[in-house]
Amino acid sequence: IHTPAVPLAMVTATAHSPSGKLLLAASHAFLFDSVAENASVQNIVTAEGAHAITFTKHLDAGATYHFATVGSTITSVQNANPRNEAERLTLLAALVGRDELVAQHDRAWDDLWRSDIRIDGDDETQRDVHAMLYHLYAFTRESGAVALSPMGLSGTG
């Protein structure tokens, strides 16, 4: 874990559910190769209250540039203070850093794919089953009491 020399630029938004009973919070930040680049990030709030986070970087032709994004979304079902928790999780992820986050992600998916359904002789059905397993794996957690339903973020409904 490294400590940024420049404060992390983060944007957080909150919204209530239609019933008003639940609060949703989402936080987002950029991860740069150099923490000094956090100074280039701008946080924008429009007149309508929408939030955006942007940065500008000049690159010479043919140059390569890397950055990543990290974010957290949580509701008051999971935490009594979802705004604070979303910001805490985003900050923690930024402190862990992109390379370690990707390594953790890869290890978690490797563990999930140890459980598989194999169908010999029917490639199309095998692809369909793997697509269904992917959605189950992506939207559920081993110890989670609440998770998005399969296809929850990628379906048309």
Side-chain angles (χ1 to χ4, degrees):
I1 296 178
H2 63 278
T3 305
V6 176
L8 180 68
M10 181 182 344
V11 65
T12 303
T14 60
H16 282 90
S17 64
S19 69
K21 294 180 181 179
L22 300 176
L23 181 64
L24 170 88
S27 275
H28 174 265
F30 291 110
L31 301 181
F32 299 104
D33 289 340
S34 165
V35 294
E37 291 185 74
N38 283 319
S40 71
V41 175
Q42 296 178 357
N43 206 349
I44 301 166
V45 180
T46 66
E48 297 83 34
H51 297 268
I53 188 169
T54 65
F55 74 93
T56 303
K57 177 73 176 176
H58 173 78
L59 296 175
D60 292 329
T64 300
Y65 183 72
H66 297 124
F67 72 94
T69 63
V70 65
S72 302
T73 303
I74 193 161
T75 72
S76 53
V77 170
Q78 291 86 28
N79 189 284
N81 187 342
R83 180 187 181 102
N84 183 65
E85 186 67 359
E87 289 178 345
R88 186 188 73 78
L89 291 170
T90 301
L91 178 59
L92 178 60
L95 289 172
V96 168
R98 179 185 66 220
D99 293 342
E100 178 57 24
L101 288 172
V102 170
Q104 289 176 14
H105 171 85
D106 289 345
R107 286 191 300 270
W109 275 103
D110 287 345
D111 287 345
L112 286 171
W113 282 113
R114 287 183 188 168
S115 174
D116 195 3
I117 297 172
R118 302 293 303 166
I119 300 171
D120 293 327
D122 189 341
D123 291 343
E124 183 177 350
T125 301
Q126 181 68 70
R127 280 190 301 273
D128 291 343
V129 167
H130 276 164
M132 290 178 221
L133 284 172
Y134 164 78
H135 283 97
L136 288 172
Y137 292 158
F139 297 116
T140 59
R141 298 295 174 264
E142 183 176 330
S143 61
V146 178
L148 294 171
S149 62
M151 301 292 289
L153 295 176
S154 60
T156 58

